[in-house]
Amino acid sequence: MELGRIGRRKYAEKKLTKAIVLKIEYLKVSGDYCFVECSPEFEDGTDAIPAFLPDMGYIHCLKRIHVGWHVIIDLSRTDVPDPEERARIKKSFPGDFPWELLSPEWKKIFAGGYD
């Protein structure tokens, strides 16, 4: 994976001085799909936010393709999507994505719990 890049989005705002690890806050897998919420930090446990990375929730839907996991939907953000954006995001999920993988927070978001 390219430094500072997850999926297609680039996150690092400047050159990282140390390796980043992802601290898993929520992880659920079903078949070839996975949902993960994580916080990036440096390997030594020091915070990479906000000096090197934006202060946001790092949230990804992954799919096992051939021999590895690939980000298929990047839900990383600083705020809750409005109804229009939420509808666009929902449409972007594969038809066979198991919705039970979502964290309780994202289930609430997709149910319109913050409208």
Side-chain angles (χ1 to χ4, degrees), residues 1-113:
M1 185 179 327
E2 183 181 331
L3 188 66
R5 186 178 295 273
I6 299 174
R8 293 186 186 118
R9 288 174 62 180
K10 188 171 181 177
Y11 289 102
E13 296 177 339
K14 58 184 171 181
K15 186 172 170 92
L16 299 171
T17 58
K18 302 177 241 180
I20 294 280
V21 295
L22 298 174
K23 180 179 171 186
I24 304 299
E25 296 167 7
Y26 180 92
L27 174 70
K28 195 166 183 183
V29 177
S30 178
D32 289 332
Y33 288 102
C34 174
F35 180 88
V36 63
E37 293 184 9
C38 54
S39 300
E41 58 184 42
F42 289 115
E43 275 185 319
D44 63 7
T46 58
D47 203 353
I49 297 171
F52 294 90
L53 298 169
D55 187 4
M56 60 193 280
Y58 291 84
I59 304 142
H60 302 93
C61 297
L62 303 123
K63 184 171 185 178
R64 186 182 0 234
I65 302 171
H66 305 294
V67 295
W69 291 92
H70 301 270
V71 174
I72 58 168
I73 299 173
D74 186 348
L75 297 171
S76 303
R77 60 190 56 255
T78 58
D79 59 357
V80 175
D82 63 32
E84 185 178 301
E85 182 183 10
R86 189 175 63 236
R88 278 195 313 273
I89 293 169
K90 261 183 124 168
K91 284 182 183 178
S92 71
F93 278 81
D96 63 342
F97 185 84
W99 292 95
E100 69 273 7
L101 289 182
L102 299 178
S103 67
E105 187 71 15
W106 273 91
K107 287 177 184 175
K108 185 175 179 179
I109 289 169
F110 281 126

